[in-house]
Amino acid sequence: MAATRANFGDLLEPGFLEIFNENYKPLERVYSKIFNTMSSDKQDERFSSVTGFGLLTVKDENATLTYDDPIQGYDTLLSHVTYAKGFKISKELWDDDQYNKMNEKPRQLGVAARRTEETVAANVFNRAFNASYLGGDDQELCSTVHPREDAGTSISNASATGITFGEENYETAKLAMISEQLDGRGQIIEVMPS
């Protein structure tokens, strides 16, 4: 349905001191500080991984060397989607708009696009504990039972006691990342969260 004069009578009448339009100072982009972005010219992108190796073993003099094999990780398929929106306006409303409010609508589509980017990016965290959104290992982003590639004991990146993520538990999470985060072979990962 197009915006027409019948729906926007206030814009046609001179005499209003102000007709407010959604004009907010845009906030700084957040998603680009958290996520690495890439471009693509394909309909989807596939990702996988390969593990490292377990700890080295003691080898006696002239003894046979112990060998280890890397293990292929889980595959993830990301399918690209298109976000779009437009609006229609009658020529008559465009011509007769006394306050030039309809002329601001294309810029507001840009604001909607920016909000969409931020919302879609934030959904990674908003849905981190939601079983409807699974990763390549068939687990939520935050799970106590991420399977290891070597079929060892599962890996956790969530609280087993169910503490909620927030400022008060930030330090607990940070300490767990430093001392308890494991790779696909069950080795402690050398990470320093910031």
Side-chain angles (χ1 to χ4, degrees):
M1 183 164 97
T4 64
R5 292 183 295 182
N7 304 102
F8 292 94
D10 289 353
L11 298 181
L12 308 176
E13 296 297 326
F16 284 95
L17 179 61
E18 178 67 52
I19 293 183
F20 295 98
N21 205 358
E22 279 192 8
N23 288 316
Y24 305 107
K25 181 179 178 187
L27 296 175
E28 186 177 352
R29 289 183 189 263
V30 175
Y31 84 91
S32 58
K33 293 180 179 184
I34 299 171
F35 295 100
N36 293 325
T37 58
M38 298 181 275
S39 60
S40 174
D41 59 359
K42 298 189 289 186
Q43 70 177 358
D44 51 45
E45 296 290 345
R46 293 182 60 185
F47 297 88
S48 188
S49 63
V50 178
T51 67
F53 298 100
L55 296 175
L56 302 182
T57 57
V58 174
K59 182 184 107 36
D60 293 330
E61 183 179 349
N62 209 26
T64 305
L65 186 64
T66 302
Y67 291 92
D68 196 0
D69 296 318
I71 303 168
Q72 180 173 310
Y74 301 100
D75 293 348
T76 301
L77 177 69
L78 299 179
S79 298
H80 300 296
V81 296
T82 300
Y83 293 91
K85 186 167 279 190
F87 74 100
K88 297 179 184 179
I89 181 172
S90 71
K91 180 175 182 341
E92 292 80 6
L93 176 56
W94 183 268
D95 291 342
D96 297 342
D97 179 358
Q98 300 296 301
Y99 301 92
N100 210 25
K101 297 302 176 185
M102 290 297 146
N103 192 40
E104 296 174 13
K105 294 305 170 192
R107 183 192 59 76
Q108 289 177 334
L109 273 178
V111 171
R114 183 178 177 146
R115 287 179 181 164
T116 301
E117 285 177 328
E118 293 290 336
T119 300
V120 169
N123 280 341
V124 170
F125 301 106
N126 293 335
R127 298 170 177 167
F129 295 89
N130 188 326
S132 296
Y133 300 94
L134 304 179
D137 63 357
D138 288 330
Q139 294 299 315
E140 303 90 6
L141 176 62
C142 295
S143 171
T144 58
V145 291
H146 284 290
R148 283 187 6 209
E149 286 88 344
D150 68 354
T153 305
S154 60
I155 302 170
S156 173
N157 67 347
S159 167
T161 60
I163 63 171
T164 58
F165 184 74
E167 189 174 348
E168 65 280 357
N169 293 318
Y170 171 73
E171 203 60 36
T172 301
K174 191 173 167 182
L175 290 171
M177 288 178 75
I178 294 170
S179 63
E180 300 173 23
Q181 198 66 32
L182 305 178
D183 68 10
R185 300 297 291 260
Q187 309 287 322
I188 292 178
I189 300 171
E190 296 93 5
V191 296
M192 185 55 66
S194 61

